[in-house]
Amino acid sequence: MKENTKLKEKILKDTYIYSLKHDYNHYLTRYYNGIKYCEEHIEEVDIWVNELNKISYMLGRLIEEINKYKTMTEDEILKGFKE
């Protein structure tokens, strides 16, 4: 019975970490796309800077949460996770 509970806890933890990594990749892609857009449309930077700040904040929170379970490498922080 105890082994079954441990297995369920491991599955939940692995699923949660996978979800965090997936979310991180999503926000990282949005961030890089936003930066690229702003570089190409410099006149619209004021419109989009708040959104980029929100995305950056979310990335920071996700890094903190992921690091509770696994220390992220510099490569993972900059390029995301391979899925």
Side-chain angles (χ1 to χ4, degrees):
M1 192 73 149
K2 218 174 192 183
E3 290 177 17
N4 196 11
T5 302
K6 286 183 179 182
L7 179 60
K8 286 180 182 178
E9 287 174 358
K10 182 181 177 349
I11 291 170
L12 285 173
K13 179 181 169 187
D14 290 347
T15 302
Y16 179 62
I17 293 169
Y18 176 83
S19 176
L20 290 172
K21 289 178 179 181
H22 176 78
D23 289 350
Y24 184 82
N25 284 348
H26 170 75
Y27 281 101
L28 188 63
T29 299
R30 285 188 64 204
Y31 182 77
Y32 282 136
N33 286 343
I35 294 294
K36 182 178 177 185
Y37 183 87
C38 287
E39 288 173 347
E40 293 171 355
H41 302 89
I42 199 75
E43 68 281 356
E44 295 183 35
V45 168
D46 291 341
I47 297 169
W48 296 107
V49 72
N50 286 336
E51 188 64 26
L52 284 172
N53 284 336
K54 290 176 191 174
I55 294 168
S56 177
Y57 174 79
M58 278 303 302
L59 287 168
R61 294 300 308 250
L62 287 164
I63 289 170
E64 288 176 10
E65 190 64 20
I66 292 167
N67 278 332
K68 290 179 183 176
Y69 302 96
K70 172 208 175 311
T71 302
M72 292 178 68
T73 65
E74 183 178 342
D75 199 48
E76 289 169 336
I77 291 170
L78 297 175
K79 297 178 183 174
F81 294 95
K82 294 178 172 72
E83 291 188 37

